[in-house]
Amino acid sequence: MAWTRYHDMPPRYNHSATLVGNKMYIYAGKDEQGNTVSDLFMVNLQKLPYTPHLVLGGNQQQQQQSCSNRMVLLKSQHFCDTACGKLIVFGRYLNSNKHQHQQQNSPESTYSLWMLDLDTLEWEKQECDGHFEVGGWNYFTIVNETSGEQTDAQSQININNLLFLGNTDPYRPQGYDHFR
């Protein structure tokens, strides 16, 4: 029950830490100055010393300059989980529509679901049919199910369902009755 310090990584809060096999992915958050960061570190938990490796870099200002082709986390609050070798991230993001940015002084934001392929390190926005356009969304998790015959492993299918918690009240979208 003793703490051991191996290697430093940039201090942060409001980040997520997600286990994928023997690797821990530490994504986004806020730095010591309170700026939103969207970098991704990986720590291999099978090898000592536990060295954090920068997998994807970038801060909010760098990403805003190229938001037409990249995922841009607007606020540090986000939620991560993993399925099928992908890091799944849900949070509030800058709308990547260039035309909207030119028409408005401040960029529009939206709740979005993104998946990062951990092999290719490419982000892909998931189509959510406008389900998160109204209200405040505060959490998601993956519920794993197995279908098929329990005795025959080859006929079993693993199903990953995403469960989102929040509210759809258009008058109190933020910080009110989170889990209605």
Side-chain angles (χ1 to χ4, degrees), residues 9-10 12 26-29 37-41 54 56-59 63:
M9 69 175 278
R12 64 192 54 225
I26 301 166
Y27 176 67
V37 294
S38 293
D39 50 10
L40 176 68
F41 285 86
L54 182 64
L56 290 175
N59 61 32
Q63 289 184 352

Side-chain angles (χ1 to χ4, degrees), residues 128-169:
C128 297
D129 298 326
H131 289 295
F132 305 113
E133 291 176 3
V134 177
W137 300 93
N138 303 289
Y139 186 75
F140 95 98
T141 190
I142 297 177
V143 179
N144 299 306
E145 296 179 38
T146 303
S147 69
E149 294 294 321
Q150 298 295 332
T151 57
D152 185 4
Q154 290 183 344
S155 66
Q156 291 182 356
I157 298 172
N158 290 325
I159 300 169
N160 297 306
N161 296 296
L162 281 84
L163 174 66
F164 294 86
L165 298 176
N167 75 66
T168 55
D169 187 341

Side-chain angles (χ1 to χ4, degrees), residues 78-139:
H78 64 281
F79 303 96
C80 285
D81 212 330
T82 182
C84 306
K86 295 183 179 4
L87 190 66
I88 302 169
V89 184
F90 179 73
R92 200 158 187 78
Y93 299 90
L94 291 178
N95 194 335
S96 62
N97 185 336
K98 273 183 159 179
H99 188 66
Q100 276 187 337
H101 287 292
Q102 292 168 353
Q103 290 181 351
Q104 299 175 357
N105 291 337
S106 62
E108 186 176 320
S109 67
T110 183
Y111 286 100
S112 301
L113 180 67
W114 288 78
M115 287 177 29
L116 176 66
D117 186 310
L118 295 172
D119 292 327
T120 64
L121 297 179
E122 292 183 13
W123 287 105
E124 181 181 345
K125 184 177 180 181
Q126 302 304 297
E127 182 57 48
C128 297
D129 298 326
H131 289 295
F132 305 113
E133 291 176 3
V134 177
W137 300 93
N138 303 289
Y139 186 75

Side-chain angles (χ1 to χ4, degrees), residues 45-65:
L45 299 175
Q46 266 190 322
K47 294 182 188 177
L48 286 173
Y50 301 125
T51 306
H53 298 282
L54 182 64
V55 177
L56 290 175
N59 61 32
Q60 185 182 21
Q61 291 169 338
Q62 291 170 334
Q63 289 184 352
Q64 283 178 0
Q65 294 170 358

